[in-house]
Amino acid sequence: MFDNYVLTDNSLENVKKDGEITGYKMRTRITYYRGIPLSMVHDIQVEVDGQEVPRESIRFSPDGEIYFTLEEMKTVTSYKWEYGQEGIVYVEQAGGLPAGEHTIKLTQVSRVAYIPVPFSGSQTKTLTVI
Amino acid sequence: MSSIKRAVSLYSYQDEYVRGKLSLEGCLQELAEIGVEGVEVITDQMFHNTPETDDASIKNWKRIVKETGIVPVCNDIFINTNLYHNRMLTKKENLDFLKKELVQAHNLGFPMVRLVSATPADIIEEALPLAEELNVIMALEVHAGMAFDNAMTKKFTDIMFKLNSPYLGLVVDTGIFCRRHPRVSTAFFLDQGLNPEIVKYIDDIFASGDDPLELSHNKLPEDLEKMVRSRIDREYIIFAGGYENKDFSVLDPYMPYVKHFHGKFWEMTEEGTEYSIPYKELIEYLKEKGYEGYIASEYEGGRFALPGTEIDAVTQVRLQQDMLRSYI
């Protein structure tokens, strides 16, 4: 129901490190109504132009400074993804995405305290690489 | 005029907050402007790094409270029992988290914490001495869909009756008094392809004086199962169980322990009433019982905003507050 928070407009960009494009990133807000420790972010899934991104290539940052793999995140209880704070989803991919429009589907799955099954938020948007 | 007081849960303004239209300070200024006495806050929503909010945030909060004159009434807290993916927290871990929340609530000046439905009841007795020391009431949320007949709620109320402490009580969600299914929810699901036959089926249950609570928790009756065509249909039926249609008398045995109300609402109508909940009759009941606590507006209609439409919780809360004021 808060699915329209998932994918921030104009937030898809290639990431350059030491002169090389190492991947791409996008911004996302939590589809829940409060902040949770990262260990409760159950999963993040990315699909680009209908193609699913391998889980191992995905990194998440709650603040744009610290990044974790999804496996690492299972044990991260000392940092929270705060409500309203845009998290960064980074996909490691040499060369990044080709210029132009891409159809991005981003899904986030969280465990919350009183709902027995993890719940997910998903949004698909056509974004242009910045 | 009775002694019932009015508050607003900032849960109501979550969309305004997330979009940067209202800051925490802006929320309290809005309450001051419309003459609301008290405020309820989900600290996990508008404070960072809870339950270990830093001193600067606490100081800033106290300044805002002082400048606006709004009374902190209730702090909605959560125990993240499923913090880890591979196990539930132990009783000791849950208790430690609850204690941290009590200390934080005290530091922020809240006289009460709202324990979310399904808070483990087995930690309550051990947390009580700290609650007494800090002068913070622990009150369990009795939420529609999980009200008094729910096993977890009953575990808590058994302990509450047994200990009979002024620091233990209940926060009642008025969503247990729905006389009609919220039509903004229906419109939202219809927009996504909900089968209109199911809408009628659920509406008829409410019209008959009953609610779909049992239905949404159990195997569907054959005639309803036949109407289910999609995931949306099934979701609608499950969510319908989150609106109960109980008589006010369900509160009778609990009234001495009711510390606070969540004045849940989804839609203020043009007539100035809530579409689903008969607030006039509810407030008459509460006056009769001598209730002297707060009713906090909790706007939940925002989640049913149709695609492409703006959420305007500020106006909805103002309308509900006008209604509450007129009945009180």
XYZ file of all heavy atoms in Angstrom, chain A residues 1-2 4-5 29 32-37 39-40 42 74-80 82-85 111-116, chain B residues 11 14-15 17-19 42 44-45 47-51 78-85 116-118 188-189 239 303-304 311:
549
model
N 0.818 -1.214 0.000
C 0.000 0.000 0.000
C 0.850 1.261 0.000
O 0.384 2.318 -0.371
C -0.892 0.011 1.226
C -1.920 -1.076 1.134
S -3.070 -1.004 2.474
C -3.944 -2.520 2.176
N 2.089 1.118 0.470
C 3.009 2.248 0.404
C 3.982 2.022 -0.749
O 5.096 2.510 -0.737
C 3.773 2.396 1.720
C 2.876 2.542 2.914
C 2.834 1.566 3.883
C 2.066 3.663 3.052
C 1.999 1.689 4.987
C 1.221 3.793 4.149
C 1.193 2.802 5.115
N 4.277 3.149 -3.571
C 4.796 4.296 -4.336
C 5.978 4.987 -3.643
O 6.512 5.946 -4.154
C 3.682 5.292 -4.679
C 2.960 5.795 -3.455
O 3.177 5.272 -2.367
N 2.115 6.790 -3.606
N 6.384 4.480 -2.466
C 7.593 5.009 -1.831
C 8.852 4.265 -2.299
O 9.958 4.651 -1.970
C 7.535 4.847 -0.299
C 6.503 5.690 0.428
C 6.005 5.288 1.660
C 6.045 6.897 -0.104
C 5.062 6.050 2.341
C 5.106 7.663 0.570
C 4.615 7.237 1.790
O 3.687 7.983 2.458
N 12.680 4.375 -0.284
C 12.203 4.606 1.075
C 11.495 3.353 1.562
O 10.881 2.624 0.777
C 11.193 5.765 1.113
C 11.817 7.125 0.978
C 10.790 8.168 1.394
N 11.255 9.510 1.092
C 10.732 10.263 0.129
N 9.760 9.803 -0.621
N 11.196 11.477 -0.081
N 7.145 0.828 5.107
C 6.541 0.553 6.402
C 6.431 1.919 7.068
O 6.881 2.916 6.509
C 7.494 -0.397 7.137
C 7.052 -0.942 8.472
C 5.740 -1.281 8.732
C 8.007 -1.138 9.483
C 5.382 -1.796 9.955
C 7.650 -1.670 10.708
C 6.327 -1.985 10.935
O 5.982 -2.492 12.142
N 5.847 1.985 8.259
C 5.643 3.325 8.828
C 6.594 3.671 9.962
O 6.391 4.630 10.694
C 4.184 3.503 9.261
C 3.708 2.526 10.304
C 3.993 2.725 11.651
C 2.975 1.404 9.944
C 3.564 1.827 12.610
C 2.544 0.505 10.895
C 2.841 0.724 12.225
O 2.432 -0.173 13.166
N 7.663 2.866 10.096
C 8.653 3.192 11.123
C 10.002 2.613 10.709
O 10.062 1.726 9.845
C 8.233 2.654 12.488
C 8.159 1.147 12.551
C 7.690 0.636 13.901
N 7.745 -0.805 13.954
C 8.695 -1.508 14.573
N 9.676 -0.908 15.209
N 8.679 -2.820 14.545
N 11.061 3.100 11.349
C 12.388 2.599 11.038
C 12.627 1.242 11.679
O 12.083 0.946 12.742
N 13.451 0.413 11.012
C 13.785 -0.909 11.574
C 15.284 -1.152 11.439
O 15.931 -0.627 10.524
C 13.016 -2.064 10.862
C 13.198 -2.009 9.334
C 11.541 -2.049 11.245
C 12.586 -3.191 8.607
N 15.859 -1.969 12.354
C 17.269 -2.351 12.197
C 17.455 -3.103 10.871
O 16.537 -3.785 10.401
C 17.501 -3.289 13.385
C 16.441 -2.950 14.380
C 15.258 -2.529 13.570
N 18.875 -5.717 10.085
C 18.696 -7.181 10.113
C 17.245 -7.579 9.829
O 16.971 -8.732 9.518
C 19.114 -7.734 11.473
O 18.288 -7.190 12.492
N 16.334 -6.628 9.940
C 14.922 -6.938 9.677
C 14.522 -6.642 8.234
O 13.376 -6.862 7.842
C 14.025 -6.177 10.656
C 14.236 -6.660 12.089
S 13.300 -5.714 13.311
C 11.649 -6.342 13.048
N 14.461 -8.078 5.141
C 14.548 -9.499 4.816
C 15.177 -9.744 3.441
O 15.959 -10.666 3.253
C 13.124 -10.061 4.846
C 13.053 -11.540 4.910
N 13.482 -12.249 6.000
C 12.588 -12.447 4.016
C 13.282 -13.543 5.775
N 12.752 -13.683 4.586
N 21.990 -9.490 7.430
C 21.247 -10.353 8.372
C 21.688 -10.142 9.823
O 20.938 -10.398 10.749
C 21.469 -11.830 8.021
C 20.743 -12.286 6.783
C 21.079 -13.748 6.501
C 20.271 -14.282 5.335
N 20.680 -15.673 5.007
N 22.942 -9.729 10.005
C 23.462 -9.600 11.380
C 23.600 -8.142 11.820
O 24.086 -7.877 12.919
C 24.862 -10.245 11.481
O 25.742 -9.540 10.609
C 24.833 -11.717 11.128
N 23.180 -7.204 10.974
C 23.401 -5.797 11.307
C 22.224 -5.248 12.127
O 21.165 -4.941 11.583
C 23.608 -4.931 10.042
C 23.844 -3.465 10.425
C 24.783 -5.459 9.240
N 22.430 -5.165 13.423
C 21.365 -4.642 14.291
C 21.725 -3.270 14.847
O 20.935 -2.635 15.514
C 21.127 -5.597 15.477
O 22.366 -5.784 16.153
C 20.606 -6.934 15.014
N 22.949 -2.819 14.555
C 23.407 -1.553 15.138
C 23.056 -0.331 14.273
O 23.211 0.792 14.717
C 24.914 -1.606 15.359
O 25.545 -2.098 14.207
N 22.617 -0.579 13.040
C 22.174 0.534 12.200
C 20.725 0.313 11.805
O 20.313 -0.817 11.536
C 23.009 0.639 10.924
C 24.462 0.937 11.162
C 25.411 -0.065 11.014
C 24.880 2.210 11.526
C 26.753 0.194 11.233
C 26.220 2.477 11.746
C 27.149 1.463 11.596
O 28.467 1.719 11.810
N 19.976 1.416 11.764
C 18.576 1.310 11.359
C 18.352 1.987 10.014
O 19.049 2.926 9.659
C 17.682 1.980 12.412
C 17.591 1.187 13.693
C 16.826 1.952 14.758
C 15.326 1.795 14.559
N 14.589 2.507 15.640
N 15.933 4.264 8.795
C 14.959 5.121 9.443
C 13.807 5.446 8.501
O 13.989 5.543 7.285
C 15.626 6.431 9.914
C 16.779 6.241 10.884
C 16.348 5.800 12.285
O 15.121 5.648 12.523
O 17.239 5.596 13.135
N 12.649 5.666 9.088
C 11.469 6.044 8.318
C 11.727 7.387 7.627
O 12.190 8.338 8.252
C 10.254 6.165 9.246
C 8.998 6.562 8.520
C 8.356 5.660 7.679
C 8.467 7.837 8.647
C 7.217 6.018 6.991
C 7.318 8.203 7.959
C 6.707 7.294 7.136
O 5.578 7.649 6.444
N 11.427 7.429 6.355
C 11.574 8.683 5.624
C 12.973 8.906 5.079
O 13.198 9.790 4.264
N 13.931 8.102 5.547
C 15.311 8.274 5.073
C 15.515 7.430 3.823
O 15.195 6.243 3.812
C 16.279 7.829 6.166
C 17.724 8.117 5.830
C 18.606 7.995 7.068
O 18.312 8.544 8.113
N 19.668 7.230 6.940
N 10.715 -7.835 7.750
C 10.022 -8.540 8.842
C 9.613 -7.472 9.839
O 10.421 -6.629 10.205
C 10.954 -9.533 9.552
C 11.374 -10.721 8.705
C 12.055 -11.766 9.582
N 13.109 -11.198 10.405
C 14.345 -10.964 9.997
N 14.700 -11.259 8.774
N 15.237 -10.450 10.822
N 8.376 -7.500 10.274
C 7.957 -6.521 11.276
C 7.409 -7.258 12.490
O 7.113 -8.437 12.428
C 6.955 -5.500 10.712
C 7.593 -4.715 9.587
C 5.683 -6.166 10.248
N 7.309 -6.520 13.590
C 7.164 -7.173 14.885
C 5.882 -7.985 15.068
O 5.874 -8.944 15.788
C 7.277 -6.127 15.979
N 4.797 -7.586 14.448
C 3.545 -8.247 14.807
C 2.843 -8.907 13.623
O 1.715 -9.341 13.734
C 2.595 -7.237 15.478
C 2.422 -5.988 14.651
C 1.359 -5.870 13.790
C 3.370 -4.971 14.702
C 1.223 -4.749 12.999
C 3.236 -3.847 13.910
C 2.167 -3.744 13.075
O 2.057 -2.644 12.282
N 3.522 -8.940 12.484
C 2.943 -9.626 11.328
C 3.764 -10.896 11.101
O 4.982 -10.822 10.967
C 2.957 -8.715 10.071
C 2.196 -7.419 10.368
C 2.359 -9.419 8.867
C 2.211 -6.400 9.248
N 3.114 -12.045 11.114
C 3.847 -13.319 11.120
C 4.683 -13.597 9.872
O 5.688 -14.286 9.946
C 2.745 -14.364 11.286
C 1.456 -13.681 10.962
C 1.651 -12.232 11.232
N 1.181 9.398 13.812
C 1.007 8.358 12.783
C 0.161 8.926 11.644
O 0.404 8.616 10.473
C 0.312 7.147 13.418
C -0.072 6.046 12.465
C 0.791 4.983 12.217
C -1.306 6.047 11.810
C 0.435 3.954 11.343
C -1.665 5.037 10.930
C -0.795 3.992 10.708
O -1.144 2.987 9.833
N 2.012 10.677 8.677
C 3.210 9.997 8.161
C 3.548 10.363 6.722
O 4.722 10.466 6.373
C 3.092 8.477 8.331
C 1.866 7.873 7.695
C 1.797 6.371 7.926
O 2.355 5.619 7.149
N 1.173 5.945 8.996
N 2.536 10.545 5.886
C 2.834 10.864 4.485
C 3.369 12.289 4.361
O 4.339 12.543 3.651
C 1.589 10.679 3.606
C 1.911 10.823 2.135
O 2.605 9.928 1.599
O 1.519 11.840 1.530
N 4.983 13.810 6.613
C 6.324 13.765 7.202
C 7.335 13.212 6.195
O 8.398 13.798 5.973
C 6.289 12.905 8.478
C 7.616 12.786 9.175
C 8.060 13.800 10.027
C 8.435 11.672 8.986
C 9.285 13.704 10.671
C 9.663 11.567 9.630
C 10.083 12.576 10.468
O 11.290 12.479 11.096
N 6.982 12.102 5.565
C 7.925 11.438 4.655
C 8.201 12.306 3.421
O 9.284 12.266 2.845
C 7.405 10.024 4.274
C 6.588 10.029 3.004
C 8.547 9.042 4.140
N 7.232 13.090 3.025
C 7.414 13.953 1.853
C 7.990 15.325 2.209
O 8.102 16.194 1.358
C 6.073 14.131 1.126
C 5.593 12.829 0.535
C 4.352 12.985 -0.290
N 3.797 11.684 -0.622
C 4.306 10.872 -1.543
N 5.350 11.232 -2.241
N 3.762 9.691 -1.770
N 4.996 7.807 17.494
C 5.738 6.565 17.283
C 7.203 6.991 17.211
O 7.609 7.603 16.221
C 5.335 5.894 15.953
C 3.853 5.530 15.941
C 6.195 4.664 15.686
C 3.354 4.988 14.613
N 9.869 5.340 16.769
C 10.581 4.688 15.658
C 10.320 5.393 14.326
O 11.005 5.134 13.346
C 10.094 3.244 15.484
C 10.779 2.281 16.438
O 11.783 2.666 17.050
O 10.303 1.129 16.559
N 9.281 6.222 14.303
C 8.932 6.876 13.044
C 9.607 8.236 12.890
O 10.142 8.547 11.838
C 7.415 7.054 12.987
C 6.886 7.616 11.691
C 5.362 7.628 11.662
O 4.721 8.349 12.419
N 4.783 6.820 10.798
N 11.860 9.768 15.331
C 13.141 9.945 16.014
C 14.121 8.921 15.446
O 13.704 7.853 15.029
C 12.997 9.712 17.528
C 12.267 10.811 18.238
C 10.885 10.909 18.164
C 12.952 11.747 18.988
C 10.200 11.921 18.817
C 12.284 12.769 19.650
C 10.900 12.855 19.559
N 15.387 9.245 15.459
C 16.374 8.314 14.931
C 17.052 7.516 16.038
O 17.175 7.967 17.175
C 17.433 9.060 14.116
C 16.935 9.425 12.742
N 17.749 9.940 11.760
C 15.694 9.339 12.187
C 17.033 10.155 10.668
N 15.788 9.814 10.906
N 17.474 6.318 15.637
C 18.266 5.432 16.495
C 17.565 5.087 17.820
O 18.225 4.919 18.838
C 19.643 6.041 16.763
C 20.648 4.982 17.156
O 20.574 3.841 16.675
N 21.557 5.318 18.052
N 16.258 4.980 17.791
C 15.530 4.581 18.998
C 15.788 3.103 19.290
O 16.073 2.348 18.362
C 14.014 4.793 18.834
O 13.582 3.976 17.766
C 13.693 6.238 18.561
N 15.713 2.622 20.522
C 15.373 3.360 21.733
C 16.559 4.079 22.387
O 16.543 4.328 23.585
C 14.836 2.258 22.647
C 15.584 1.033 22.251
C 15.891 1.188 20.788
N 7.614 -0.539 20.105
C 7.605 -1.879 19.502
C 8.743 -2.680 20.112
O 9.787 -2.112 20.431
C 7.836 -1.790 17.991
C 6.765 -1.042 17.265
C 6.716 0.347 17.314
C 5.797 -1.720 16.548
C 5.717 1.047 16.656
C 4.797 -1.022 15.891
C 4.759 0.365 15.938
N 8.539 -3.960 20.266
C 9.661 -4.837 20.586
C 9.913 -5.641 19.308
O 9.008 -6.343 18.837
C 9.323 -5.829 21.729
C 8.709 -5.102 22.934
C 10.559 -6.640 22.110
C 9.659 -4.352 23.804
N 11.114 -5.515 18.753
C 11.413 -6.229 17.509
C 11.742 -7.693 17.817
O 12.896 -8.104 17.766
C 12.570 -5.548 16.776
C 12.159 -4.212 16.208
O 11.022 -4.048 15.754
N 13.070 -3.248 16.225
N 10.706 -8.456 18.117
C 10.902 -9.856 18.539
C 11.572 -10.695 17.446
O 12.206 -11.696 17.739
C 9.554 -10.505 18.898
O 8.649 -10.286 17.822
C 8.975 -9.899 20.169
N 11.415 -10.280 16.196
C 12.057 -11.026 15.099
C 13.218 -10.219 14.487
O 13.403 -10.177 13.283
C 11.037 -11.429 14.033
C 10.153 -10.265 13.607
O 10.358 -9.125 14.032
N 9.185 -10.533 12.758
N 14.001 -9.655 15.378
C 15.179 -8.874 14.979
C 16.137 -9.701 14.117
O 16.741 -9.184 13.186
C 15.903 -8.405 16.253
C 17.154 -7.566 16.101
C 16.848 -6.219 15.458
C 17.818 -7.340 17.470
N 16.277 -10.982 14.461
C 17.174 -11.866 13.702
C 16.361 -12.776 12.787
O 15.238 -13.145 13.122
C 18.007 -12.718 14.657
C 18.835 -11.881 15.615
C 18.474 -11.785 16.960
C 19.945 -11.177 15.171
C 19.229 -11.015 17.839
C 20.693 -10.401 16.044
C 20.326 -10.320 17.382
O 21.057 -9.557 18.245
N 16.967 -13.157 11.649
C 16.195 -13.944 10.680
C 16.067 -15.405 11.096
O 15.199 -16.114 10.637
C 16.853 -13.855 9.302
C 18.052 -14.731 9.134
N 19.234 -14.481 9.790
C 18.224 -15.877 8.433
C 20.096 -15.439 9.468
N 19.515 -16.275 8.665
N 2.631 -2.457 21.389
C 1.928 -2.902 20.180
C 1.264 -4.260 20.438
O 1.755 -5.043 21.265
C 2.910 -2.970 18.982
C 3.817 -4.184 19.073
C 2.161 -2.953 17.663
N 0.146 -4.509 19.764
C -0.523 -5.818 19.857
C 0.525 -6.895 19.639
O 1.427 -6.722 18.832
C -1.562 -5.973 18.743
O -2.559 -5.019 18.857
N 0.384 -8.002 20.338
C 1.313 -9.127 20.201
C 2.644 -8.892 20.923
O 3.589 -9.638 20.715
C 1.564 -9.492 18.730
N -10.157 1.569 -3.050
C -8.757 1.300 -3.356
C -8.595 -0.093 -3.981
O -7.909 -0.269 -4.984
C -7.945 1.408 -2.052
C -6.497 1.042 -2.156
C -5.569 1.953 -2.636
C -6.048 -0.214 -1.757
C -4.222 1.629 -2.714
C -4.691 -0.549 -1.835
C -3.789 0.376 -2.312
N -9.267 -1.072 -3.380
C -9.145 -2.444 -3.896
C -9.918 -2.632 -5.206
O -9.485 -3.383 -6.074
C -9.589 -3.455 -2.838
C -8.560 -3.681 -1.766
C -8.634 -3.035 -0.539
C -7.486 -4.533 -1.987
C -7.683 -3.240 0.448
C -6.517 -4.750 -1.009
C -6.609 -4.102 0.212
N -7.872 -8.422 4.991
C -7.866 -7.092 5.618
C -9.231 -6.760 6.249
O -9.300 -6.024 7.231
C -7.468 -6.002 4.612
C -5.991 -5.962 4.342
C -5.480 -6.033 3.058
C -5.090 -5.856 5.405
C -4.110 -5.998 2.819
C -3.726 -5.818 5.176
C -3.231 -5.891 3.885
N -3.425 5.294 3.514
C -2.908 4.124 2.805
C -3.833 3.667 1.677
O -3.469 2.805 0.888
C -2.630 2.987 3.778
C -3.864 2.464 4.488
C -3.556 1.198 5.238
N -2.562 1.407 6.284
C -2.085 0.442 7.047
N -2.483 -0.798 6.869
N -1.212 0.685 7.992
N -5.041 4.239 1.637
C -5.978 3.865 0.572
C -6.143 4.975 -0.466
O -7.117 4.994 -1.207
C -7.346 3.502 1.179
C -7.270 2.376 2.166
C -7.714 2.550 3.466
C -6.741 1.146 1.801
C -7.632 1.513 4.393
C -6.647 0.109 2.717
C -7.092 0.296 4.020
N -2.466 12.630 -0.545
C -2.998 12.358 0.790
C -3.067 13.692 1.535
O -2.106 14.452 1.524
C -2.087 11.368 1.535
C -2.103 10.009 0.816
C -2.508 11.222 2.999
C -1.057 9.039 1.305
